Amino acid sequence: INAKELEACKAAGVTDIQEVKIGYDGIVFATDSSNPDVAYEPADLYKALAAEVVVDGKLVANPYKKWSEVNKDLPDAEIAAYIPGEKHGTREVFDEKMLAAGCKATGALDVIKAAVADEKEQHAKCIAVRKDGLAVDIDGDYTETLARIAANKTGLGVFGLSFYENNADKLK
């Protein structure tokens, strides 16, 4: 339960709330099994997938087209990322742990704070994903993401851990 949901409970008169963990999962970034190993950092993913990034101290529409433009140690391949749609639970983790963290790590959050006073708007700008076709929201299940990677061997997919484990023969 997040803070907003906790407040909604309190507002509705529900005050005795107990958290019970019933399982664990993880978020996995995977490509076709034939690709070399790559170590993506939140800053790399933010710079590759954010709608806006900081260039020369200014927030601009994301100009990066290749992973190597984001970080010289990443593959010299066009950015292609298949991420869970906005209503998917894995997307919430992706937004918070990767995009928001990358926004902060790259210094973009400071630039956004200087331009936007409202904290919710700041956060929304940090986790906004580019809409030019290089980052694709997958509203279906993970099998669609798997199919996209099969069609684009250099594409990067975001999965839940259990799905990855069941398809580890196809993914890395």
Side-chain angles (χ1 to χ4, degrees):
I1 190 167
N2 65 36
K4 184 178 174 184
E5 293 165 334
L6 185 59
E7 289 303 315
C9 288
K10 287 180 183 176
V14 177
T15 58
D16 187 19
I17 299 170
Q18 295 180 358
E19 180 178 11
V20 178
K21 293 185 181 189
I22 58 172
Y24 294 91
D25 201 353
I27 186 171
V28 176
F29 297 84
T31 63
D32 186 81
S33 61
S34 65
N35 288 326
D37 291 346
V38 177
Y40 295 97
E41 296 289 332
D44 300 330
L45 293 166
Y46 176 79
K47 287 173 69 176
L49 305 179
E52 296 178 302
V53 295
V54 176
V55 176
D56 297 327
K58 295 180 183 170
L59 201 62
V60 299
N62 195 327
Y64 304 118
K65 303 294 182 204
K66 291 184 167 191
W67 289 105
S68 57
E69 293 172 359
V70 169
N71 177 336
K72 65 178 177 48
D73 295 328
L74 296 178
D76 188 31
E78 185 173 295
I79 295 167
Y82 309 108
I83 60 177
E86 294 176 355
K87 295 176 184 159
H88 199 289
T90 304
R91 176 61 176 267
E92 184 178 348
V93 175
F94 174 77
D95 286 350
E96 296 306 316
K97 301 296 183 185
M98 292 299 126
L99 292 180
C103 184
K104 185 176 180 181
T106 62
L109 180 57
D110 295 331
V111 175
I112 292 169
K113 282 182 175 180
V116 178
D118 183 71
E119 283 187 35
K120 285 184 181 180
E121 286 183 52
Q122 292 168 2
H123 183 70
K125 284 185 99 41
C126 269
I127 65 169
V129 174
R130 66 191 309 166
K131 301 292 183 198
D132 60 359
L134 300 185
V136 178
D137 283 11
I138 304 293
D139 288 325
D141 60 17
Y142 295 133
T143 55
E144 183 179 346
T145 305
L146 186 61
R148 298 281 185 120
I149 290 174
N152 179 354
K153 299 293 187 195
T154 61
L156 174 71
V158 179
F159 301 96
L161 178 61
S162 59
F163 184 86
Y164 166 76
E165 288 174 337
N166 290 328
N167 292 278
D169 59 323
K170 300 174 199 81
L171 298 168
K172 176 187 277 188

